Amino acid sequence: MNNNYFCIGGHGVAIRFVTTEVNSMQLLPSFQPFRVDDEPQTLLFTLTVDDTLRPVKGRKLVRKFDTGNGDTLVYQLPDGGYQYIIRDIHDRDCCLLVTDSHFTHCQCALNGDWVMRSFGLNDALMLVYAFAGAYHATMLVHASTIMAPSRTGDNTRYGYPFIAKSGTGKSTHAALWLKHIDNCELMNDDNPIVRVEADGTPYIYGSPWSGKTPCYRNLRARLGAVTRIDRAPANSIERLDPVSAFASLLPACSSMKWDSATYNHLCDAITRIIETTPIYTLHCLPDEEAAQLCHTTIAR
């Protein structure tokens, strides 16, 4: 057994390889910045990679959904756990994933060449992290995120995620901040982690998942604000009321609406974020004025 340990979003994660001839951490280069030497005292989940794993009998198909990179089939198991078949954009089966009901003990079998195995394992880990995290006020958010120092001159760093439907311009707006706002840096370009910590303060973390942009940074910052990008013929910004803020943030978070336990925990965490963090909609053009307006309004 080859054991590997990580700290991701402040949570311990273990990845264990039983089948080592074709499977190893070489499949997961984006995880290297998050590696730790010793096993964490508590683990969010353990994923065991074992290519001898076979589908569970008695499974019931829940749904099939398109991730944008391929289809994933979701099955409910008799013991309350789940089984996933992860397929790539060419409709090839890359990963069989089996989890318990709380996503704490998981197994997967990989298939195909290096590209297929890497894709399948990455997707499996992202699914498990999102759903296990829901029980600990932790969520993966589909966002491009800028980190910036406090405007008051103290040592606090704030993270500002920009959310929107794919193709709307999250990354474009983040790039405008990097170009026109001093002392900014890219924290993550696709799936940062937001966690409400024990004292009720929400923080945002870099993650091993960053879409097409290789930005895998083990960073942590206070969550400063969340801004939804809305393309418009002129630049304006508005702070949302609590109901509108909830409706804006929820679709950006990875969730299983059909699983009431994880979904309710996610909704509780979003509510706690809205209580402490302003949520905005930026109606904008892809220009410097939009970045300056947004920064002036939301930056702490």
Side-chain angles (χ1 to χ4, degrees):
M1 182 83 71
N2 178 260
N3 298 318
N4 304 269
Y5 304 112
F6 307 87
C7 184
I8 303 172
H11 293 294
V13 168
I15 304 173
R16 310 184 191 276
F17 293 95
V18 174
T19 310
T20 58
E21 293 80 4
V22 290
N23 300 325
S24 71
M25 283 306 303
Q26 292 184 358
L27 296 171
L28 299 169
S30 65
F31 277 66
Q32 189 58 36
F34 304 87
R35 181 186 283 276
V36 295
D37 293 332
D38 299 320
E39 181 174 359
Q41 289 187 346
T42 59
L43 293 171
L44 181 65
F45 67 85
T46 298
L47 176 67
T48 301
V49 183
D50 182 357
D51 287 353
T52 66
L53 181 70
R54 295 294 179 263
V56 178
K57 295 181 179 179
R59 61 192 182 275
K60 179 181 178 182
L61 182 65
V62 176
R63 65 181 56 206
K64 173 181 176 181
F65 62 91
D66 183 0
T67 64
N69 294 308
D71 291 331
T72 296
L73 284 72
V74 186
Y75 299 86
Q76 184 85 57
L77 301 182
D79 64 359
Y82 284 97
Q83 177 178 291
Y84 299 82
I85 302 294
I86 298 171
R87 293 174 175 166
D88 65 12
I89 198 168
H90 303 293
D91 203 33
R92 299 177 297 185
D93 289 357
C94 297
C95 179
L96 166 67
L97 171 65
V98 177
T99 79
D100 62 3
S101 60
H102 281 62
F103 300 89
T104 54
H105 296 91
C106 311
Q107 297 174 280
C108 77
L110 305 177
N111 182 57
D113 59 18
W114 187 93
V115 173
M116 292 171 63
R117 289 172 180 270
S118 178
F119 169 79
L121 184 53
N122 261 292
D123 258 34
L125 285 160
M126 188 162 59
L127 283 171
V128 173
Y129 190 96
F131 303 146
Y135 291 93
H136 301 273
T138 303
M139 63 201 74
L140 276 175
V141 181
H142 184 44
S144 184
T145 302
I146 291 291
M147 187 173 69
S150 170
R151 296 173 69 185
T152 64
D154 63 24
N155 294 322
T156 306
R157 297 185 299 177
Y158 287 96
Y160 301 100
F162 305 117
I163 61 176
K165 293 181 179 179
S166 296
T168 303
K170 300 182 296 295
S171 296
T172 298
H173 189 75
L176 289 168
W177 274 53
L178 294 173
K179 182 177 180 180
H180 299 294
I181 308 299
D182 291 339
N183 301 316
C184 292
E185 51 187 307
L186 187 65
M187 193 174 192
N188 184 276
D189 200 35
D190 195 53
N191 277 286
I193 296 161
V194 173
R195 179 182 178 186
V196 182
E197 303 200 354
D199 65 354
T201 304
Y203 283 82
I204 188 163
Y205 294 78
S207 83
W209 306 286
S210 188
K212 297 178 181 178
T213 303
C215 184
Y216 313 113
R217 308 184 69 191
N218 192 359
L219 299 172
R220 174 180 181 264
R222 282 279 301 271
L223 181 64
V226 180
T227 305
R228 184 172 64 87
I229 304 299
D230 175 40
R231 282 283 170 251
N235 296 317
S236 65
I237 190 167
E238 59 180 320
R239 182 169 177 173
L240 302 180
D241 63 78
V243 173
S244 298
F246 187 94
S248 183
L249 183 53
L250 178 61
C253 301
S254 299
S255 66
M256 295 194 302
K257 293 182 179 180
W258 62 88
D259 185 288
S260 59
T262 57
Y263 188 67
N264 288 339
H265 280 291
L266 173 66
C267 290
D268 288 344
I270 291 174
T271 299
R272 292 166 68 185
I273 289 169
I274 292 169
E275 291 172 348
T276 59
T277 307
I279 314 294
Y280 296 89
T281 294
L282 175 68
H283 309 281
C284 63
L285 295 162
D287 59 15
E288 179 183 356
E289 180 188 80
Q292 296 289 358
L293 171 63
C294 186
H295 176 259
T296 299
T297 304
I298 76 170
R300 296 191 182 190

